[in-house]
Amino acid sequence: MKIMSPIFSFFITLFNMIKRALAPIVQPQRLFAALMVIGGRSATATTSCGNGSSSQSPPSTPLLSSKSSTITSNKKAAIPASQLYIPKKSTLDSRQMGNYSREYSTTTTKKLIFSDTYLNDLFWQLSSQGPAFEVNPNKIDFIQEPIDFYNHLIDGVKRSKKRITMASLYLGTGKQEIELVKEMKLAMERNKELKIHILLDGLRGTRIGVDKESSATILDELLNLYSDRVTISMYHTPDLNGVLKKVLPPRINETIGVQHIKTYVFDDDLLLSGANLSKDYFTNRQDRYVLIRSTKSVSNYFNEIVEIIGSLSLRVDKDNKNQLLLSSGSIDPVTQSNEFKSLAYRKLSTLLKPHSFYPNSTSDNKSVDSPFDCNSINNEETTWIFPTIQMGPFNIRQDEVVTSHIFESVPSDSKFFITSPYFNLTENYLNLILTGKPKLDIITCSPQANGFYGSKGLSSAVPDCYAIIEKRFLQRVHDTANDKRISVQEYIRDKWTYHAKGLWIQVKNQSHPSITLIGSPNFGSRSVEKDLEAQIILITQNKQLQQKMENEKNYLWTDTQDANLELFEKRKVSLMVRVLVYIFGLSFTKSITTTTTTTTVRHISNTPTSESPKILEYKRNRDQVINAHNEKFRFSIINLTKAANISKTKHNLSISDAQLLGKLMSGVSMCASFLSDEERISAQIISDINPTHIYAEAIHVGEVRGFLINGDTPRLETPDQVVNRKGIFQFSKILYGHLKPIQSVVAVEDKDLTITKEFQHYFDQSEQIPSFIQLETKLKTKSNNNNDNTNYIVINDEIQKQPEKEEVEQQQQQQQQEIINSNNDIVDNDQLEFNGGILIQTLPSATEEDLNQLKSNIEKYSLADLFLNEKKSIREILSIVTNNDPSIEVISTIFVDFYCRCTLKTFKDKILTLGINEIKHLEEHNHNELKCIYCNRYHYLKDTDFKEMITHLEQEKEQKLKVLKEMENEQQQQQQENNDSEKINDETKKE
């Protein structure tokens, strides 16, 4: 026994070492999921087909997640959101999420989209990540029963005249599925213009069932009969390649990634769901379904998603229906996976156009630049839809970004509801839920409602594995003292399974939900990282639609039971399941770390946080503007270094010109930080000496752009005043409730621009509020490219950092004078090390003496040196220059980016004002290249664009002529009536 004990310990230690070493490589959660579907079939998912065989549809979601954190031991605290790596951008080119201040962005004077503060701010947050669609709430319905879902599919096929577009994981091979395909054939016979596009997953769609059929074989006859009007696309994940492609058998290979979008378009009707096209989803597998009728813009958007994915997909081989072939000229996702991912990203990311608003009344599927140009603004009909997509293989993370934001931002006075059949949250989602504040109800499936309940082999362990995950989540709820805030219910209905996914939010002072998310994504790692997903976020203040959302939610909660730790004490889990979860659940236990939940401190504090140095340094260097106030002043302080360098590169500016433009952008960004949402500030300096035109504009939400021109070049918005040698400074505000911009113009006092003096002169002459501004830049020359901080050049208008050595001091002063007074480049690729500033404006209780004292204190410091040499954040700098005043409260921190909203559409709208003759002239001379003056981006007009504009103007002209003709006819008719009346009067008089 003494000999066996160390041997046993040795093998245990060796096993743990191998387990830790191989976990990141083999992805145990996927291997485990694969094992679960090898050994048997789901009893509830196996149904009788028309020919006596069976049709099977096991759940496609893998059980365990490499980023989940639902299994834990005795860790007490959840991880705060500030310490999580939560993505903030839908794509690499997207705006960053989270630039709206929920507490302070809504005022009583500005125009609102929604009357509720949270709904209104969420609207702007979501619109920063993609398009928004205004919809008629009366055209939205929620379906409750699976049989009704099937009937709507059949009815949609029968009614379609132009298009049928379906996306699903797979199409089953049972009697009802065959009937659905039969209706498609009849529809094609009736309507010669009808086209059908069906997108399925290539792996699942070609998997042969026990009846020797597959989705591909079921669709074979339809494709052969109408090959010119029917497209069957089979998506293949680019992550299944190399050795994995060769060794993984069917079913197991689907754990690598699939096409998981469930969208069904019939002409201009959209039916969105999480349900696949198979018998159990038509009979006894509960899901969610929303029908949006006669809404062309939304249907077109989802149709375009399917078209783009379809263009990247494989086609079915006509000779071998379960074999997939490449389309001509397409990229192979298996042998050219990187190229495939790159192409998919480029195509799909074009869908995510921020601040694109589609009015409900539009018939041409064109967007407008502002939601205030739409119809239902802050009234009882106001309803908007935000589609989201999540495609981890292509690094498109829109759904994850907005879902994380919703989890983090739901107000404490709201009610929050989540449904998830596979309750296996990612680490981020789990911690955001545990650190949240609102009352939260969760519904998941009981072991009996799991799709694998009653199956044979290893698959029989799946329900118990999810039960373990659920139990450990409840334990985490208890350990984090969330028992009273978070409750869990289990769906349990005899011989039914559960597949509903999504959430609802009921805001303060509302009796029903105002927000819902519905579609294909679950809240697990597979949806986030591996599969292709799509859903919608629906926001409404229409009472009837809110009631429909409430009814749908209540229907799902009808067949539920409370889940608590006492319930799990009664459930017996086999030793095999516990061992499997232990072996393959390694990543679970690692995802929870010991931490202390912190309370957000809104006052300025220099107390160090527990974030990693890399995160802190990233946040410190990130372009941002901080808004703060106390009882006497309001403050805005900014670091805009990256945006200034981007503008330098985009416009190919000299370093001195880059400094001028950078300061102007800093100034307008700080002024805009005092505004709300899309309110805008612009400033420009116009002169007859170089630079002849400097322009910058910014909006509150963190966007800034600008340009600088040397030479006699046409200028934008040139005021009427005569430009003299010294020039003018024009300042404009575009505010809610004002039809026209509020503009002020002052003369430029000195021909040698510093920007600080120009801003200060404007504040002194035109602003009613006493203000003080200080703008700074700092650069590093090529010749001084070392780590000696004394070799930096500081350009701070009046304050200069003095090096210790007299010789170096003289050299720097000479270089500084050259930079300010000339346009000579130091080095073409020089970059600014710092570009920023501080703006202070008085409040009514402040005196002139208070402002002068604060100004004197700020002028003692160089913001650039504090930032670069002392490594202070701009929040810490604000504290330093204000003598650590404890009364200063930070209102908001807004990340700022150089961002231009130019699109081909905006150019075309401008060109339309030139008239039809000028447009034809441009077309004849092939003048199709358009350049944005703000960002130097080129846009190109195609022949179709010229044709579209000319047709638009011709139709507009015809409409005007028609109106004039009608007016002329009315006048003639009126004249005739008057003449007849006079004639009658004359005859009457004669009588």
Side-chain angles (χ1 to χ4, degrees):
M1 190 70 179
K2 293 181 179 180
I3 299 175
M4 293 299 296
S5 180
I7 294 176
F8 181 75
S9 299
F10 167 77
F11 279 109
I12 291 293
T13 303
L14 179 63
F15 167 76
N16 285 327
M17 290 174 62
I18 295 172
K19 177 183 173 183
R20 285 192 295 269
L22 294 182
I25 301 173
V26 302
Q27 291 187 312
Q29 72 284 356
R30 296 198 171 281
L31 180 59
F32 185 41
L35 291 174
M36 292 302 97
V37 297
I38 290 177
R41 297 185 177 89
S42 167
T44 57
T46 304
T47 54
S48 177
C49 297
N51 57 2
S53 60
S54 64
S55 172
Q56 183 190 357
S57 56
S60 60
T61 305
L63 183 60
L64 301 182
S65 160
S66 62
K67 289 194 176 182
S68 294
S69 53
T70 51
I71 292 185
T72 182
S73 53
N74 58 353
K75 310 300 183 186
K76 298 294 183 184
I79 302 175
S82 59
Q83 298 181 27
L84 298 174
Y85 290 91
I86 301 174
K88 296 291 187 180
K89 298 173 68 173
S90 298
T91 70
L92 297 175
D93 304 312
S94 296
R95 289 273 293 111
Q96 183 156 321
M97 187 88 163
N99 275 356
Y100 294 85
S101 170
R102 289 188 296 277
E103 295 86 357
Y104 293 89
S105 66
T106 301
T107 67
T108 57
T109 58
K110 76 168 190 175
K111 197 173 182 182
L112 301 176
I113 304 297
F114 290 93
S115 57
D116 179 81
T117 301
Y118 175 67
L119 297 184
N120 191 69
D121 289 344
L122 182 61
F123 173 90
W124 291 110
Q125 292 282 5
L126 298 177
S127 68
S128 73
Q129 299 301 303
F133 297 86
E134 183 190 35
V135 294
N136 183 343
N138 299 317
K139 295 181 178 180
I140 301 176
D141 285 302
F142 292 91
I143 303 169
Q144 294 183 349
E145 292 282 353
I147 185 61
D148 293 330
F149 168 59
Y150 177 74
N151 290 335
H152 275 86
L153 290 173
I154 295 293
D155 182 62
V157 170
K158 289 181 177 179
R159 289 185 293 101
S160 296
K161 300 292 191 296
K162 296 180 180 179
R163 66 180 175 190
I164 296 173
T165 303
M166 295 186 174
S168 180
L169 175 64
Y170 68 101
L171 172 70
T173 59
K175 182 178 179 180
Q176 288 170 294
E177 297 92 314
I178 293 173
E179 183 66 23
L180 179 62
V181 176
K182 178 183 176 181
E183 289 295 338
M184 292 186 203
K185 297 176 190 174
L186 296 175
M188 293 295 285
E189 292 177 9
R190 291 192 301 268
N191 305 289
K192 303 305 180 183
E193 301 298 321
L194 179 63
K195 293 184 178 180
I196 295 179
H197 186 181
I198 299 175
L199 171 66
L200 305 174
D201 181 73
L203 301 175
R204 182 64 181 87
T206 56
R207 190 213 299 175
I208 301 175
V210 294
D211 55 358
K212 306 302 180 182
E213 297 284 358
S214 68
S215 303
T217 60
I218 292 296
L219 293 168
D220 177 43
E221 184 178 356
L222 175 66
L223 180 61
N224 288 337
L225 288 174
Y226 306 100
S227 58
D228 58 330
R229 292 190 285 141
V230 173
T231 302
I232 309 296
S233 300
M234 295 287 188
Y235 169 81
H236 190 291
T237 175
D239 290 332
L240 181 61
N241 54 59
V243 177
L244 285 179
K245 176 67 175 177
K246 297 178 180 178
V247 302
L248 291 183
R251 298 188 73 183
I252 297 178
N253 57 14
E254 295 165 28
T255 63
I256 304 301
V258 295
Q259 192 298 116
H260 201 245
I261 297 171
K262 322 295 173 51
T263 179
Y264 310 101
V265 177
F266 307 102
D267 289 342
D268 294 335
D269 293 351
L270 171 67
L271 177 55
L272 194 68
S273 177
N276 291 303
L277 299 173
S278 67
K279 183 177 181 179
D280 48 333
Y281 289 94
F282 300 153
T283 53
N284 63 343
R285 189 161 175 78
Q286 184 64 59
D287 215 304
R288 297 183 68 203
Y289 332 84
V290 61
L291 177 62
I292 306 167
R293 299 182 307 278
S294 303
T295 308
K296 185 177 181 180
S297 56
V298 180
S299 299
N300 283 354
Y301 188 82
F302 278 90
N303 184 77
E304 189 172 0
I305 292 174
V306 176
E307 290 295 328
I308 292 176
I309 300 173
S311 71
L312 301 166
S313 300
L314 305 177
R315 299 290 183 263
V316 177
D317 187 354
K318 291 184 178 181
D319 298 326
N320 184 353
K321 306 308 175 187
N322 292 308
Q323 183 70 32
L324 301 180
L325 300 176
L326 276 174
S327 300
S328 177
S330 59
I331 297 177
D332 192 334
V334 177
T335 61
Q336 300 171 285
S337 59
N338 289 334
E339 293 86 347
F340 181 88
K341 291 180 180 181
S342 177
L343 177 62
Y345 172 84
R346 291 198 302 272
K347 286 190 172 186
L348 289 162
S349 61
T350 60
L351 294 170
L352 309 186
K353 299 175 182 176
H355 306 294
S356 296
F357 305 97
Y358 290 82
N360 177 40
S361 61
T362 183
S363 58
D364 53 6
N365 200 40
K366 290 185 177 180
S367 64
V368 295
D369 296 329
S370 170
F372 298 111
D373 293 331
C374 299
N375 305 301
S376 300
I377 301 299
N378 196 15
N379 59 37
E380 62 182 13
E381 298 297 311
T382 304
T383 304
W384 288 83
I385 283 176
F386 295 85
T388 65
I389 58 176
Q390 180 75 14
M391 300 181 181
F394 312 140
N395 204 21
I396 295 176
R397 321 191 74 86
Q398 182 190 20
D399 188 75
E400 181 186 9
V401 168
V402 299
T403 302
S404 298
H405 177 79
I406 290 173
F407 278 12
E408 185 179 2
S409 66
V410 178
S412 58
D413 52 12
S414 299
K415 294 182 180 179
F416 196 14
F417 306 88
I418 293 176
T419 174
S420 175
Y422 305 107
F423 196 63
N424 180 30
L425 301 172
T426 68
E427 178 182 355
N428 283 346
Y429 291 161
L430 171 70
N431 284 283
L432 290 174
I433 284 175
L434 293 178
T435 57
K437 298 301 180 184
K439 179 72 171 65
L440 172 61
D441 289 340
I442 300 171
I443 181 173
T444 186
C445 64
S446 65
Q448 295 88 340
N450 190 290
F452 285 106
Y453 184 74
S455 62
K456 300 178 180 179
L458 288 176
S459 298
S460 63
V462 172
D464 285 341
C465 288
Y466 274 112
I468 293 177
I469 295 171
E470 183 185 348
K471 177 184 178 181
R472 293 183 177 178
F473 171 76
L474 290 169
Q475 188 63 53
R476 289 285 289 137
V477 170
H478 176 74
D479 292 343
T480 54
N482 279 303
D483 305 74
K484 294 183 179 180
R485 186 177 68 86
I486 300 176
S487 62
V488 179
Q489 286 80 36
E490 292 181 345
Y491 182 90
I492 181 166
R493 186 176 177 183
D494 187 36
K495 296 181 181 180
W496 278 62
T497 59
Y498 190 70
H499 198 249
K501 302 177 285 288
L503 62 81
W504 302 259
I505 299 173
Q506 180 179 321
V507 298
K508 182 181 178 181
N509 299 325
Q510 294 285 341
S511 56
H512 302 311
S514 303
I515 303 170
T516 189
L517 273 66
I518 180 171
S520 68
N522 202 13
F523 301 114
S525 178
R526 176 159 190 171
S527 286
V528 170
E529 301 294 343
K530 293 298 179 182
D531 296 341
L532 307 189
E533 308 280 10
Q535 67 176 338
I536 62 168
I537 301 173
L538 173 63
I539 308 179
T540 184
Q541 55 189 31
N542 178 264
K543 299 300 182 183
Q544 289 75 24
L545 183 55
Q546 289 178 358
Q547 182 65 60
K548 292 177 183 179
M549 294 161 60
E550 175 75 8
N551 294 342
E552 186 220 15
K553 176 178 69 68
N554 291 341
Y555 178 79
L556 294 176
W557 254 264
T558 301
D559 297 298
T560 61
Q561 63 182 10
D562 290 334
N564 49 46
L565 292 175
E566 290 74 16
L567 174 66
F568 285 91
E569 295 299 327
K570 303 175 183 178
R571 289 178 176 168
K572 295 182 179 180
V573 179
S574 67
L575 178 62
M576 178 192 74
V577 172
R578 295 179 184 272
V579 171
L580 285 173
V581 171
Y582 172 73
I583 294 175
F584 297 104
L586 175 66
S587 59
F588 266 43
T589 57
K590 282 193 164 187
S591 61
I592 299 296
T593 58
T594 304
T595 184
T596 303
T597 304
T598 58
T599 302
T600 302
V601 179
R602 296 188 52 76
H603 292 280
I604 298 178
S605 172
N606 293 324
T607 306
T609 68
S610 58
E611 294 178 336
S612 70
K614 287 185 178 180
I615 296 177
L616 290 173
E617 186 63 12
Y618 167 77
K619 289 184 176 180
R620 193 182 75 87
N621 286 290
R622 180 70 165 86
D623 281 5
Q624 58 190 287
V625 59
I626 289 180
N627 213 323
H629 70 82
N630 60 13
E631 62 180 7
K632 293 185 176 181
F633 303 100
R634 63 177 182 179
F635 305 86
S636 182
I637 185 169
I638 192 170
N639 168 29
L640 201 65
T641 308
K642 183 179 179 181
N645 284 321
I646 289 174
S647 68
K648 177 184 183 297
T649 302
K650 285 182 176 293
H651 298 293
N652 193 26
L653 300 178
S654 68
I655 196 67
S656 56
D657 284 348
Q659 290 174 292
L660 295 175
L661 180 55
K663 287 181 180 181
L664 194 65
M665 291 195 301
S666 294
V668 296
S669 295
M670 288 191 292
C671 293
S673 71
F674 293 139
L675 306 181
S676 299
D677 295 343
E678 299 280 312
E679 293 183 325
R680 184 181 306 266
I681 294 290
S682 68
Q684 59 181 337
I685 296 174
I686 303 173
S687 176
D688 58 356
I689 60 175
N690 286 336
T692 55
H693 195 181
I694 315 175
Y695 179 95
E697 67 176 20
I699 58 177
H700 170 79
V701 297
E703 297 177 13
V704 63
R705 63 180 184 173
F707 62 85
L708 183 147
I709 295 175
N710 287 301
D712 186 14
T713 305
R715 303 162 188 149
L716 296 181
E717 302 177 6
T718 304
D720 296 334
Q721 285 84 342
V722 177
V723 177
N724 56 38
R725 182 167 179 78
K726 291 183 179 180
I728 60 169
F729 179 91
Q730 183 189 37
F731 191 87
S732 300
K733 303 176 184 177
I734 300 177
L735 306 178
Y736 293 129
H738 293 267
L739 296 177
K740 296 181 179 180
I742 302 171
Q743 295 184 342
S744 298
V745 178
V746 295
V748 175
E749 295 266 308
D750 195 335
K751 67 178 181 180
D752 294 327
L753 301 176
T754 67
I755 306 302
T756 297
K757 286 186 291 185
E758 286 68 43
F759 264 109
Q760 190 63 58
H761 182 60
Y762 159 74
F763 288 134
D764 295 340
Q765 295 293 319
S766 297
E767 282 287 319
Q768 301 299 316
I769 304 174
S771 306
F772 168 72
I773 188 170
Q774 179 171 305
L775 299 168
E776 298 184 26
T777 59
K778 191 171 185 179
L779 59 132
K780 189 174 183 179
T781 64
K782 183 176 180 182
S783 59
N784 292 324
N785 191 16
N786 54 51
N787 295 324
D788 186 358
N789 289 330
T790 61
N791 284 332
Y792 283 96
I793 301 171
V794 180
I795 298 178
N796 187 23
D797 298 336
E798 298 172 357
I799 303 173
Q800 306 297 326
K801 177 70 175 181
Q802 302 297 328
E804 295 179 359
K805 295 182 181 180
E806 184 178 352
E807 182 178 356
V808 177
E809 178 183 3
Q810 294 175 354
Q811 179 185 0
Q812 289 190 344
Q813 289 176 349
Q814 182 179 359
Q815 289 175 334
Q816 177 189 334
Q817 195 63 35
E818 291 175 357
I819 293 169
I820 295 178
N821 296 330
S822 73
N823 290 318
N824 297 331
D825 294 349
I826 297 175
V827 176
D828 224 10
N829 59 0
D830 273 342
Q831 295 286 296
L832 298 178
E833 293 289 333
F834 177 79
N835 176 67
I838 186 170
L839 172 62
I840 300 168
Q841 294 190 325
T842 61
L843 298 178
S845 61
T847 65
E848 183 178 354
E849 183 181 352
D850 292 331
L851 179 61
N852 290 334
Q853 184 178 355
L854 182 58
K855 173 183 174 182
S856 176
N857 191 68
I858 292 174
E859 288 176 339
K860 297 176 184 178
Y861 297 94
S862 165
L863 305 183
D865 285 336
L866 289 173
F867 185 83
L868 295 171
N869 300 341
E870 300 186 28
K871 304 298 182 183
K872 300 296 184 181
S873 67
I874 60 172
R875 178 175 292 205
E876 292 170 328
I877 293 172
L878 178 60
S879 178
I880 291 170
V881 300
T882 56
N883 288 328
N884 298 306
D885 186 349
S887 68
I888 297 178
E889 182 181 5
V890 173
I891 298 174
S892 64
T893 300
I894 302 174
F895 291 139
V896 186
D897 296 292
F898 186 100
Y899 188 79
C900 185
R901 297 189 182 183
C902 67
T903 62
L904 183 61
K905 177 185 178 298
T906 57
F907 273 101
K908 288 164 65 177
D909 290 342
K910 295 288 186 182
I911 293 173
L912 284 171
T913 62
L914 299 177
I916 192 169
N917 293 331
E918 187 65 26
I919 294 175
K920 289 181 177 179
H921 176 79
L922 293 174
E923 182 181 23
E924 290 170 0
H925 292 80
N926 199 30
H927 293 164
N928 66 335
E929 185 178 88
L930 307 170
K931 179 183 177 182
C932 176
I933 194 172
Y934 298 102
C935 64
N936 266 358
R937 181 181 177 186
Y938 285 90
H939 301 269
Y940 296 93
L941 293 169
K942 301 177 183 178
D943 293 340
T944 53
D945 294 318
F946 283 109
K947 183 178 179 181
E948 178 186 336
M949 289 188 291
I950 292 172
T951 302
H952 174 80
L953 291 176
E954 288 175 343
Q955 291 175 347
E956 190 178 69
K957 183 178 179 180
E958 290 176 1
Q959 184 65 26
K960 288 180 179 179
L961 292 174
K962 182 179 179 181
V963 172
L964 290 174
K965 186 66 174 177
E966 290 176 352
M967 292 175 61
E968 183 180 350
N969 291 337
E970 288 178 0
Q971 290 176 352
Q972 291 177 354
Q973 183 177 355
Q974 184 64 39
Q975 184 64 40
Q976 183 64 41
E977 290 177 354
N978 292 338
N979 293 337
D980 293 342
S981 178
E982 291 178 358
K983 185 178 181 180
I984 293 173
N985 290 335
D986 291 341
E987 291 177 353
T988 303
K989 289 179 180 180
K990 289 179 181 180
E991 291 177 358

